[in-house]
């Protein structure tokens, strides 16, 4: 039985770059002009957007915010070493199939039983198939694609080229409406040129002080501007050090919330209390050697 259909003309989620920026800001995500432009073009052209950059700069959150901004279904495929077709596309509910066969299936006739147990009732769709089958607006996030094996990229190429999944027992399932697709990478390995050719590209780095302050004001509005600015000066110093793991934007926000919870305020000389900084370094630095390096550099 084939369920092959034809892809309709993609229906854009956003009407302009300004529309992307405004919609994302309403969710609390503060995009740069480059980010808003890349999202608009990916949406308008119906092409996947490959987003690279350090961990914690908002790559995953960008996809989630786009879905939230347009009330689209959010489908996430978390990649890891060894991920295979069964975890990404679909698999059969073998336990349920065995129970059906043991119960006599379709009157005991094997051909009828086989057709019965390889039907929709026993299919377990995984993220890629879920996104392909979605008839309404959807956002598909293929997260940390660089962690998957190189062979897995071949599977992604097939799906992202045709927006279709072939289930031998059922036929080819083709998207009625293309999802807006994001792939993220921390650049732990180089993705294939074949995959990159199919994508638009966006690099998100640590934001400048002005943009990061806007992010803090959006996500931690109760923190005073003075403390936020003082904390950003400390963060800038930390990112300039030779650390195993530099503080991400998400960790900056965690530090802001920590200082707010502790009732920490700026001092008269325009700096945050050193004891408070020293006792909370573990919020943003996750290696003891980094904490020691930071403490020495900050004079804590």
């Amino acid at each position: 039985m084939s369920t092959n259909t034809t892809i309709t003309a993609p229906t854009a989620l956003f009407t302009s770059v300004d529309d992307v920026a405004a919609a994302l800001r309403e969710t609390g995500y503060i995009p740069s002009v480059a980010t808003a432009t890349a999202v608009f073009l990916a949406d308008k052209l119906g092409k996947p957007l490959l987003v690279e950059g350090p961990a914690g700069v908002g790559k995953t959150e960008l996809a989630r915010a786009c879905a939230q901004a347009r009330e689209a279904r959010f489908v996430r495929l978390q990649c890891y070493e060894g991920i295979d077709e069964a975890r990404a596309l679909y698999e059969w509910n073998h336990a349920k199939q065995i129970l059906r066969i043991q119960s006599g299936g379709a009157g005991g006739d094997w051909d009828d039983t086989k057709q019965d147990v390889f039907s929709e009732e026993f299919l377990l769709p995984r993220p890629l198939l879920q996104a392909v089958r979605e008839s309404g607006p959807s956002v598909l996030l293929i997260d940390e694609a660089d962690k998957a094996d190189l062979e897995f990229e071949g599977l992604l190429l097939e799906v992202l080229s045709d927006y279709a999944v072939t289930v031998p027992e059922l036929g080819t399932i083709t998207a009625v409406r293309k999802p807006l697709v994001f792939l993220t990478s921390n650049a732990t390995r180089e993705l294939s040129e074949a995959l990159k050719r199919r994508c638009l590209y966006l690099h998100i780095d640590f934001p400048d002080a002005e943009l990061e302050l806007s992010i803090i004001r959006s996500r931690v509005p109760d923190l005073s501007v003075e403390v936020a600015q003082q904390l950003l000066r400390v963060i800038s110093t930390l990112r300039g050090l030779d650390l195993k793991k530099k503080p991400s934007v998400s960790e900056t926000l965690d530090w802001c919330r920590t200082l707010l919870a502790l009732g920490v305020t700026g001092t008269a000389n325009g700096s945050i209390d050193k004891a408070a900084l020293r006792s909370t370094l573990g919020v943003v630095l996750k290696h003891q050697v980094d904490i020691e390096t930071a403490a020495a550099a900050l004079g804590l």
Side-chain angles (χ1 to χ4, degrees):
M1 178 183 67
S2 174
T3 54
N4 186 34
T5 56
T6 303
I7 298 178
T8 60
T11 304
L13 298 178
F14 304 101
T15 59
S16 66
V17 174
D18 289 341
D19 182 37
V20 173
L24 292 180
R25 284 178 179 274
E26 287 183 3
T27 72
Y29 189 98
I30 312 299
S32 66
V33 174
T35 297
T37 301
V39 170
F40 170 70
L41 291 175
D43 182 40
K44 185 72 173 179
L45 301 176
K47 294 179 70 68
L49 178 60
L50 171 59
V51 188
E52 286 192 333
V57 293
K59 302 186 299 296
T60 298
E61 190 59 28
L62 174 60
R64 196 188 308 275
C66 285
Q68 181 182 345
R70 288 298 181 259
E71 298 182 345
R73 183 183 180 187
F74 180 65
V75 182
R76 179 179 180 177
L77 172 62
Q78 178 63 53
C79 297
Y80 53 88
E81 185 177 354
I83 188 172
D84 58 11
E85 182 178 290
R87 295 302 176 190
L89 284 177
Y90 69 90
E91 61 182 328
W92 293 102
N93 189 332
H94 299 301
K96 190 174 181 181
Q97 286 175 322
I98 291 172
L99 287 174
R100 176 62 64 87
I101 292 171
Q102 290 177 337
S103 68
D109 181 88
W110 171 242
D111 288 335
D112 291 341
T113 298
K114 183 170 65 172
Q115 184 174 354
D116 179 33
V117 297
F118 286 106
S119 60
E120 283 282 350
E121 180 182 352
F122 301 90
L123 185 68
L124 299 175
R126 299 309 183 198
L128 293 181
L129 180 55
Q130 290 171 6
V132 165
R133 300 179 80 177
E134 182 61 43
S135 59
S138 62
V139 173
L140 169 62
L141 170 63
I142 302 172
D143 212 6
E144 298 185 303
D146 53 321
K147 288 188 176 180
D149 301 324
L150 183 61
E151 293 76 12
F152 184 71
E153 290 189 28
L155 176 64
L156 292 180
L157 289 173
E158 180 181 357
V159 175
L160 297 180
S161 293
D162 302 326
Y163 289 91
V165 174
T166 298
V167 181
E169 296 83 358
L170 298 179
T172 300
I173 303 171
T174 306
V176 174
R177 176 172 178 163
K178 285 184 180 181
L180 174 58
V181 180
F182 292 85
L183 295 92
T184 71
S185 168
N186 296 329
T188 57
R189 74 168 176 85
E190 191 73 18
L191 297 176
S192 71
E193 290 301 322
L195 182 61
K196 287 185 174 182
R197 280 198 304 271
R198 286 163 173 79
C199 302
L200 302 183
Y201 179 80
L202 171 68
H203 185 273
I204 300 180
D205 208 338
F206 297 118
D208 59 33
E210 182 180 356
L211 179 56
E212 194 159 12
L213 180 60
S214 296
I215 294 171
I216 291 173
R217 298 300 298 146
S218 173
R219 294 302 181 95
V220 195
D222 293 335
L223 188 70
S224 71
V225 174
E226 292 77 14
V227 172
Q229 290 173 329
Q230 293 165 20
L231 187 63
L232 283 176
R233 287 196 288 271
V234 175
I235 289 291
S236 178
T237 299
L238 294 182
R239 288 176 182 160
L241 300 176
D242 183 19
L243 303 177
K244 295 182 68 173
K245 167 73 171 59
K246 298 182 187 296
S248 67
V249 177
S250 60
E251 288 162 338
T252 296
L253 295 174
D254 286 341
W255 212 3
C256 289
R257 296 183 183 105
T258 297
L259 296 180
L260 184 64
L262 294 175
V264 174
T265 59
T267 60
N269 64 359
S271 62
I272 300 175
D273 179 70
K274 288 187 176 182
L277 289 179
R278 181 67 179 85
S279 64
T280 58
L281 278 176
V283 174
V284 290
L285 302 176
K286 308 304 168 63
H287 300 276
Q288 182 58 30
V289 63
D290 285 353
I291 291 176
E292 293 171 358
T293 299
L298 297 172
L300 303 180

